[in-house]
């Protein structure tokens, strides 16, 4: 058993021995992240305090009508903020928002998506922020395409069982445990069988401008078990690195796609508002 296999087995045994503890930590972390999400979206967690208060035997309602009204308004405000993602601070803000949406026939879905690009400072005159939305959308789309391209390239690079390598005096080549490609798109390659043919090696060296002694060294790798094991390990490491980069660029691409969607929704809202102003002027 190799050192790498022993390390993997040791890690697996540790995970199995501490599975219950790890599951508990994962549960607590997930629950904490869920509460943080609620607090970030709703701006408060009165509902949780209400449940804790009732659990300890406290009464759920105030006897004073004015206090009960304030409580119900705060819970209604919290529910509204969580439901629509609108950072309203009072019931009056909610009423003004509802009037704005109804008067301009704006989609609640567009508002929820574009909320970061809406100016919420004055609910009597809601509008989009003064940003160049068209330019932002182009920027997000451009970088989205770039990251998608890189993600695709690294996903493709993670598929072959070849290690990309080079010497100081050679171009890049792609070696596996059975053959070596001297060019990614060319037809020049050498395997363990061709390595035994000196004439074939000389021909490849001439056609690909690849030094003959380097080809001979590559051929020696196919006959050495230790070097083949080392090569396999390097191939696995390269595939892992390529896959990690592919996933990273895919996540970045989703971020740009999400931001582009926000800007598109904000642009739609702006066009709706500006179209109505133009109609009023005409």
């Amino acid at each position: 058993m190799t050192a790498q296999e022993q390390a993997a087995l040791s890690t697996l045994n540790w995970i199995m021995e501490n599975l219950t503890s790890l599951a508990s930590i994962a549960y607590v972390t997930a629950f904490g992240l869920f509460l943080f999400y609620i607090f970030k979206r709703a701006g408060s967690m009165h509902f949780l305090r209400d449940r804790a208060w009732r659990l300890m035997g406290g009464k759920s309602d105030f006897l004073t009508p004015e206090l009960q009204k304030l409580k119900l308004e705060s819970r209604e405000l919290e529910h509204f903020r969580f439901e629509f993602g609108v950072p309203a601070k009072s019931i009056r803000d909610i009423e003004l928002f509802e009037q704005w949406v109804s008067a301009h026939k704006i989609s609640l879905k567009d508002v929820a998506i574009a909320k970061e690009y809406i100016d919420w400072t004055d609910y009597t005159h809601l509008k989009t922020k003064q940003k160049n939305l068209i330019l932002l959308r182009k920027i997000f789309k451009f970088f989205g395409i770039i990251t998608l391209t890189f993600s695709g390239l690294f996903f493709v690079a993670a598929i072959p069982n070849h290690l990309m390598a080079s010497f100081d005096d050679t171009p890049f080549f792609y070696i596996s445990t059975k053959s070596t490609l001297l060019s990614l798109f060319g037809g020049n390659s050498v395997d363990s069988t061709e390595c035994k043919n000196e004439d074939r090696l000389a021909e490849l060296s001439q056609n690909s401008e690849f030094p003959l002694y380097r080809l001979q060294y590559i051929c020696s790798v196919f006959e050495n078990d230790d070097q083949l094991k080392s090569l396999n390990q390097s191939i696995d490491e390269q595939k892992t690195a390529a896959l990690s980069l592919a996933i990273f660029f895919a996540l970045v691409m989703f971020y740009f796609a999400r931001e582009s969607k926000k800007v598109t929704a904000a642009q739609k809202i702006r066009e709706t508002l500006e179209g109505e102003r133009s109609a009023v002027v005409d």
Side-chain angles (χ1 to χ4, degrees):
M1 183 179 295
T2 65
Q4 186 178 10
E5 291 173 339
Q6 288 177 345
L9 184 59
S10 177
T11 302
L12 181 60
N13 289 335
W14 183 86
I15 292 175
M16 296 303 296
E17 292 172 358
N18 298 275
L19 189 60
T20 303
S21 299
L22 292 174
S24 300
I25 293 173
Y27 174 79
V28 172
T29 302
F31 186 69
L33 291 174
F34 176 68
L35 291 180
F36 175 75
Y37 167 75
I38 293 176
F39 178 78
K40 184 179 179 181
R41 185 175 177 87
S44 60
M45 288 194 292
H46 295 310
F47 77 96
L48 194 59
R49 293 198 316 219
D50 290 343
R51 291 183 179 275
W53 181 247
R54 289 197 297 270
L55 185 64
M56 292 185 292
K59 59 181 182 175
S60 59
D61 298 327
F62 287 101
L63 297 179
T64 306
E66 291 80 5
L67 295 178
Q68 181 63 17
K69 179 182 177 182
L70 289 175
K71 175 188 174 181
L72 293 176
E73 286 183 353
S74 68
R75 303 312 182 263
E76 186 75 4
L77 184 61
E78 181 181 73
H79 184 197
F80 172 82
R81 286 192 298 237
F82 182 78
E83 185 71 23
F84 298 104
V86 176
K89 297 179 180 179
S90 66
I91 297 298
R92 178 59 178 162
D93 288 346
I94 296 177
E95 294 171 349
L96 291 171
F97 171 77
E98 189 278 328
Q99 293 171 11
W100 178 69
V101 169
S102 300
H104 300 290
K105 297 180 180 179
I106 296 174
S107 168
L108 286 174
K109 180 180 179 181
D110 288 337
V111 173
I113 295 173
K115 63 182 180 180
E116 295 178 12
Y117 293 92
I118 297 177
D119 186 354
W120 301 104
T121 55
D122 184 5
Y123 278 80
T124 62
H125 185 59
L126 291 174
K127 60 183 182 299
T128 57
K129 293 180 179 179
Q130 296 300 318
K131 293 185 176 183
N132 192 331
L133 299 178
I134 296 177
L135 177 61
L136 284 175
R137 184 171 59 182
K138 289 181 179 179
I139 291 174
F140 289 138
K141 283 187 176 181
F142 172 76
F143 283 106
I145 293 173
I146 293 296
T147 51
L148 176 61
T149 302
F150 276 110
S151 178
L153 289 174
F154 281 113
F155 268 121
V156 171
I159 295 175
N161 289 317
H162 286 77
L163 175 68
M164 184 173 68
S166 69
F167 298 111
D168 295 337
D169 54 350
T170 70
F172 280 100
F173 58 93
Y174 308 87
I175 182 172
S176 71
T177 56
K178 296 181 179 179
S179 64
T180 298
L181 300 175
L182 301 183
S183 173
L184 184 60
F185 302 105
N188 292 331
S189 64
V190 59
D191 56 26
S192 57
T193 302
E194 290 177 317
C195 281
K196 299 175 182 179
N197 189 334
E198 291 293 335
D199 293 335
R200 173 59 177 164
L201 292 180
E203 179 185 352
L204 285 173
S205 176
Q206 183 177 2
N207 292 340
S208 59
E209 298 182 356
F210 209 98
L212 180 60
Y213 77 98
R214 293 298 191 187
L215 288 175
Q216 292 170 340
Y217 175 79
I218 291 174
C219 287
S220 68
V221 173
F222 297 143
E223 301 175 356
N224 190 306
D225 291 338
D226 292 336
Q227 287 186 321
L228 286 176
K229 288 181 181 179
S230 178
L231 176 60
N232 265 324
Q233 183 178 355
S234 298
I235 291 174
D236 290 340
E237 291 174 354
Q238 178 179 275
K239 294 179 70 172
T240 301
L243 185 60
S244 299
L245 288 171
I247 294 173
F248 169 75
F249 280 110
L251 292 175
V252 175
M253 183 271 296
F254 282 121
Y255 165 78
F256 284 124
R258 184 168 174 265
E259 292 301 313
S260 178
K261 186 177 181 181
K262 290 179 183 179
V263 174
T264 301
Q267 181 66 23
K268 184 178 178 181
I269 294 173
R270 176 180 288 180
E271 290 174 353
T272 299
L273 297 176
E274 290 179 348
E276 291 181 358
R277 292 195 195 100
S278 300
V280 170
V281 173
D282 295 340

